[in-house]
Amino acid sequence: MVNRLKGSIRISLLVFLMLIVVGSVNAEEAIYHAEDAKGEGFILNDNHQGYTGDAFIQFTPNVPGGYVEWDVEIATDGLYTLQFRYAHGAFLNRPGEVRVNDEVVEAELAFESTGAWNAWGTSEMVVELAEGVHTIRLTGVGPEGGPNIDVLKVIEGYDEGEQPDAPSYPVVPLEERFNEEPIKRWHEEGLLLTEQSKQLNQPVKKLQFLAAINSLFGYTNEVTFKGVDPVPFSQDWGVGENSWYLYVLQAAHKAGYLEDMNSINVNKPITRAEAAFMIANALQLDEDTETANQFRDLNRQDELVKGAIGAVIASELLEPHTNKTFNPNKPLTFQNLQLIIEKIQEYSQVGDQEVRIIGVDALSPTTIAVTLNGFFEEISPYDIEVAYGAGAWATLNPQLSKLEVTQASIGVNQLGYSVLLYELEHALTNDAKVAAIEHIPDDSYNQDIVDQANNLITWQMEHGGWTKNFPHIYTREWDGVESRSEWVSNGVELGTIDNDATINEIRTVAAAYNMTGDPRFKESVDQGFEFLFKLQYPSGGIRQVYPQRGADESSSVWYSNYVTFNDAAMTNVLELFDEVVNREEPFHTDVVNDEFIQEMESSIELALDYILKAQIEVDGQLTAWGQQHDPVTYEPQHGRSYEHPSITASESIPVIRWLMARPEQTEEVQTAVSSALSYFDQVRIENTRYDNRTYPYFLDHSGSTVWYRFYQIGTDLPIFSGRDGVIKHNLDEIEEERRLGYSWAGTWPQQLLEVAQTTGYYENKVYARVLRDQSKDHLNRSLALDSIVKTTNRIQAD
């Protein structure tokens, strides 16, 4: 049986496996629509556009176990492609188990996010089927169940597609390229050599020693949250902040074996005393001053250093010079280092290490150097892939796509690490990114959009906003009499951004203006943006409604006047402003003038300031955000009676996502993001699934992770509450109507955490990742299949 994926290709964020891509085939195919399916745990729905039959399949509730199946008739024995057309507007992969006649043929076929519920993609696999009738069953097995399914296509045959294993570019000897720029420069810098220059009696430089220890113990400079957590740097290290080998010192610092060393001159030979001190720290050996006191030339050593030297001597890791002297200030030689490495390998702290990518450097727009923290006598450049983040950030799916390579070379750096050099077919930008694909806006006339816009401008209220939950009414013009808003307060019709209201209407009317040039549409867009500006408080926070809802703070609906993170209200506005500032479709024309652009830029900066100040702090530690916050004090506030001031998992994720996308990642922004991600990493509930339609509501489920929606500030206990407003910590203790009618837990942070731990913000950024683990380094270690590192820009501008 052969399994393949296409379209939303399955790329695990923890382990990147080699996949063979199946293309569509020109062969006989049978289509099985949603309305033809049987099964349990799903309904037929039609509330999202783009499906091809009478309806689409919606798994409900959003829990594992629901399944759909079709009986398919096969005319001849052979290989067939099973292609599922689906939509998935959430973030988390919703894998499906595929069975043929009750036999599992794919345990987890990936259904990655397509970005929206009306954006359709495909996921497919290949199976061998005999002549006759077969039952094809798809079961949602992820914590959120399955995606929406349009059709199943059964296609005769399959396309072998690309074979990533097959060499597709030549491997050129590195020495033949030393006269090329920038290779010549980096050869002189020690990054690109054909071999490491060393003799057994030659002194080892401190940098070389640190690199050897890091490689032996598997120490790297990797941080938990990529592009967010700060990577350490100290002036005491004696190297420049942009040195290509900085990762060596960062890894040593992170491992902790540089502690208590006042300064490091990396290009000086390392002394035997310094080496012993670092080895003792790395192995966490107990101090042994008794052994050290036997050597007269150690009497003047610092007590801490003396104890470390004694421990290393007692462990027979470094031989003394004589039975009375150690020669602490004598340089360590490569012969000494070789013997030390052989002996340290016997220690449990070393363990079964894997070789990882330690550095990826863009040396020019077409030249990428990938450094491994090990030395390979033989290695294939095809073990590593250079790729870029092709996915939209909104989907939280990197969709890493390989960059075409024209040739590769193999070398080593002055530290003894293997380096693979790749020449790209297409040049990167000078900031080492893939140039954004130029999207040609489609402003061709569409009668449906123009008709809808004509209706929308009649429903727009005098303040410029629209209401929510009215799309079914916007199919006609306002009659001039009926209420234009779902919410009326103090005799005034309210506009809102709840459920993307006003935001979606602005986009539609702007598109109609681009098609027609009708000034009525431009005026409507202007009024819509003026409304959004009215929602922003002087502090930068954005409320849910305008004008004021409720008479005063005692009103049960006053929460709408607070700064609103609930349902991503504030971040939806900010993402719209980002689109406008970046002149993305439909705001690429004169539908928005320069004055609005400037006002939006100021609004974004003000909002950023508010978000950073509103982050909830507990005992000096930043956590995340609440559903609503006070516009003046920044404190979290009540929502409805059962929504208490708290740290909220659901509402914080869009805030973090927006912060991670900021073009300028200031220290303050990075600290906010790192703190929030760390918080949700700590409060996760492992091996548990939540389903409010079953009892118990929290079920043991291996591999699943959930988060409570509300965490009590200061205790991190879950908050559950009925309409009486009384806080409970056990879901069983509130009334059934609220137990079953509200999402008290979910998987909201999971996808963002996985992305932050692997790629970080990825749009158009370039990475190197391990594809194969067949090669062995000189210590018989394999490449780590989950190793992926973002490119550092070392391109020198002309």
Side-chain angles (χ1 to χ4, degrees), residues 20 22 104 183 194 224 229 267 290 339 363 401 420 452 478 484 490 499 527 596 652 712 725 775 784:
I20 300 173
V22 172
V104 176
I183 296 173
T194 54
T224 302
D229 288 346
N267 291 315
E290 184 178 345
L339 293 173
L363 308 183
S401 299
L420 300 172
Q452 187 178 7
W478 179 49
R484 290 170 293 178
N490 305 316
N499 295 351
Q527 292 173 353
F596 268 132
S652 292
Q712 189 174 54
S775 301

Side-chain angles (χ1 to χ4, degrees), residues 230-530:
V231 182
F233 174 77
S234 172
Q235 297 291 345
D236 292 337
W237 295 347
V239 301
E241 198 166 359
N242 295 316
S243 301
W244 65 262
Y245 45 76
L246 185 60
Y247 57 76
V248 175
L249 292 147
Q250 290 168 337
H253 174 83
K254 177 184 172 187
Y257 68 87
L258 291 184
E259 288 182 5
D260 301 311
M261 295 198 69
N262 295 326
S263 63
I264 303 169
N265 190 328
V266 295
N267 291 315
K268 279 191 175 182
I270 189 167
T271 66
R272 288 162 54 85
E274 290 170 329
F277 182 77
M278 293 183 193
I279 291 168
N281 275 352
L283 289 173
Q284 298 180 335
L285 301 178
D286 293 333
E287 294 180 22
D288 190 343
T289 53
E290 184 178 345
T291 297
N293 285 333
Q294 299 175 24
F295 300 90
R296 59 175 179 265
D297 56 357
L298 297 181
N299 292 334
R300 295 184 179 180
Q301 294 291 326
D302 179 274
E303 286 299 310
L304 198 61
V305 175
K306 184 191 292 187
I309 294 173
V312 168
I313 294 173
S315 301
E316 299 183 352
L317 291 169
L318 190 56
E319 296 290 332
H321 180 61
T322 68
N323 61 355
K324 294 294 184 181
T325 60
F326 180 75
N327 269 8
N329 298 321
K330 183 179 180 181
L332 189 79
T333 66
F334 277 102
Q335 184 174 27
N336 298 145
L337 178 59
Q338 185 174 309
L339 293 173
I340 289 170
I341 290 173
E342 290 175 1
K343 292 178 180 179
I344 289 179
Q345 282 183 278
E346 301 172 4
Y347 280 73
S348 60
Q349 288 95 324
V350 175
D352 297 325
Q353 301 294 336
E354 293 179 305
V355 178
R356 305 187 70 81
I357 298 171
I358 191 68
V360 183
D361 297 291
L363 308 183
S364 81
T366 58
T367 308
I368 303 292
V370 179
T371 304
L372 309 173
N373 69 332
F375 174 70
F376 291 77
E377 294 283 355
E378 294 183 3
I379 188 171
S380 169
Y382 310 114
D383 290 351
I384 305 292
E385 180 180 76
V386 181
Y388 78 101
W393 179 242
T395 68
L396 291 182
N397 178 7
Q399 294 183 16
L400 291 176
S401 299
K402 75 174 182 179
L403 294 172
E404 294 300 327
V405 173
T406 59
Q407 65 179 19
S409 300
I410 302 171
V412 67
N413 64 25
Q414 68 180 28
L415 308 176
Y417 288 172
S418 287
V419 180
L420 300 172
L421 196 67
Y422 298 91
E423 199 68 21
L424 303 180
E425 181 176 2
H426 302 291
L428 305 178
T429 61
N430 282 335
D431 55 355
K433 297 178 184 176
V434 170
I437 298 174
E438 185 176 355
H439 174 68
I440 301 175
D442 182 10
D443 295 332
S444 58
Y445 190 84
N446 183 305
Q447 189 63 53
D448 289 340
I449 291 177
V450 173
D451 288 346
Q452 187 178 7
N454 275 315
N455 293 335
L456 285 173
I457 62 176
T458 69
W459 288 94
Q460 189 174 23
M461 290 167 271
E462 286 73 14
H463 46 59
W466 282 269
T467 190
K468 67 171 185 174
N469 298 333
F470 269 32
H472 60 291
I473 294 177
Y474 292 157
T475 55
R476 59 179 172 81
E477 292 186 3
W478 179 49
D479 64 6
V481 178
E482 62 190 303
S483 176
R484 290 170 293 178
S485 178
E486 185 177 89
W487 290 342
V488 177
S489 182
N490 305 316
V492 180
E493 295 173 322
L494 305 184
T496 184
I497 53 172
D498 194 21
N499 295 351
D500 264 339
T502 301
I503 296 170
N504 285 338
E505 285 77 6
I506 289 174
R507 288 193 178 107
T508 300
V509 177
Y513 170 77
N514 296 336
M515 296 173 187
T516 65
D518 188 330
R520 296 178 305 132
F521 296 146
K522 187 178 189 307
E523 182 181 358
S524 173
V525 171
D526 289 349
Q527 292 173 353
F529 282 128
E530 291 288 3

Side-chain angles (χ1 to χ4, degrees), residues 188-252:
E188 295 169 352
E189 293 274 350
L191 174 61
L192 299 172
L193 308 173
T194 54
E195 62 180 2
Q196 184 187 25
S197 176
K198 63 179 182 181
Q199 297 178 357
L200 291 180
N201 62 351
Q202 182 181 349
V204 180
K205 293 181 179 179
K206 291 180 182 178
L207 188 66
Q208 293 170 325
F209 180 80
L210 296 177
I213 293 297
N214 291 347
S215 176
L216 187 60
F217 284 84
Y219 297 147
T220 73
N221 66 340
E222 290 186 29
V223 295
T224 302
F225 303 120
K226 308 300 187 293
V228 173
D229 288 346
V231 182
F233 174 77
S234 172
Q235 297 291 345
D236 292 337
W237 295 347
V239 301
E241 198 166 359
N242 295 316
S243 301
W244 65 262
Y245 45 76
L246 185 60
Y247 57 76
V248 175
L249 292 147
Q250 290 168 337

Side-chain angles (χ1 to χ4, degrees), residues 663-693:
E664 185 180 358
Q665 286 292 303
T666 64
E667 182 178 349
E668 195 174 12
V669 169
Q670 290 181 327
T671 298
V673 171
S674 179
S675 300
L677 290 172
S678 297
Y679 176 79
F680 288 120
D681 204 25
Q682 293 165 11
V683 298
R684 65 168 71 219
I685 311 163
E686 300 279 8
N687 299 315
T688 302
R689 178 167 61 83
Y690 165 72
D691 182 1
N692 64 359
R693 294 169 176 81

Side-chain angles (χ1 to χ4, degrees), residues 32-273:
Y32 298 86
H33 288 281
E35 56 268 26
D36 302 324
K38 302 174 293 184
E40 295 180 359
F42 77 92
I43 61 172
L44 293 178
N45 208 338
D46 61 358
N47 63 339
H48 298 297
Q49 298 302 308
Y51 56 90
T52 58
D54 295 336
F56 60 82
I57 292 162
Q58 177 183 330
F59 286 93
T60 186
N62 294 125
V63 296
Y67 70 90
V68 293
E69 63 183 26
W70 296 266
D71 291 330
V72 306
E73 188 169 354
I74 301 301
T76 57
D77 297 356
L79 292 173
Y80 289 81
T81 300
L82 304 181
Q83 184 185 88
F84 298 90
R85 186 171 187 264
Y86 76 99
H88 175 17
F91 300 128
L92 197 63
N93 174 32
R94 293 189 175 184
E97 177 194 79
V98 181
R99 290 175 176 254
V100 177
N101 301 329
D102 210 31
E103 176 187 351
V104 176
V105 295
E106 174 58 63
E108 291 192 3
L109 181 63
F111 291 92
E112 299 283 4
S113 173
T114 58
W117 292 109
N118 60 357
W120 299 85
T122 61
S123 185
E124 63 185 38
M125 58 176 294
V126 176
V127 296
E128 188 173 357
L129 298 175
E131 178 185 352
V133 177
H134 301 271
T135 300
I136 310 295
R137 174 180 290 193
L138 175 69
T139 305
V141 293
E144 295 182 345
N148 293 346
I149 300 292
D150 178 23
V151 297
L152 164 66
K153 285 186 180 181
V154 181
I155 308 169
E156 183 180 359
Y158 71 102
D159 184 356
E160 288 285 355
E162 292 185 43
Q163 298 294 330
D165 287 349
S168 57
Y169 50 83
V171 180
V172 179
L174 182 60
E175 57 267 27
E176 294 181 9
R177 305 188 61 194
F178 282 156
N179 289 327
E180 300 176 21
E181 289 292 350
I183 296 173
K184 180 180 179 181
R185 177 201 166 197
W186 292 103
H187 172 58
E188 295 169 352
E189 293 274 350
L191 174 61
L192 299 172
L193 308 173
T194 54
E195 62 180 2
Q196 184 187 25
S197 176
K198 63 179 182 181
Q199 297 178 357
L200 291 180
N201 62 351
Q202 182 181 349
V204 180
K205 293 181 179 179
K206 291 180 182 178
L207 188 66
Q208 293 170 325
F209 180 80
L210 296 177
I213 293 297
N214 291 347
S215 176
L216 187 60
F217 284 84
Y219 297 147
T220 73
N221 66 340
E222 290 186 29
V223 295
T224 302
F225 303 120
K226 308 300 187 293
V228 173
D229 288 346
V231 182
F233 174 77
S234 172
Q235 297 291 345
D236 292 337
W237 295 347
V239 301
E241 198 166 359
N242 295 316
S243 301
W244 65 262
Y245 45 76
L246 185 60
Y247 57 76
V248 175
L249 292 147
Q250 290 168 337
H253 174 83
K254 177 184 172 187
Y257 68 87
L258 291 184
E259 288 182 5
D260 301 311
M261 295 198 69
N262 295 326
S263 63
I264 303 169
N265 190 328
V266 295
N267 291 315
K268 279 191 175 182
I270 189 167
T271 66
R272 288 162 54 85

Side-chain angles (χ1 to χ4, degrees), residues 385-387 400 759 761-762 765-769 788-791:
E385 180 180 76
V386 181
L400 291 176
T759 64
Y761 181 81
Y762 51 74
K765 294 184 182 293
V766 177
Y767 300 83
R769 59 173 174 169
I788 175 172
V789 173
K790 183 171 72 71
T791 297

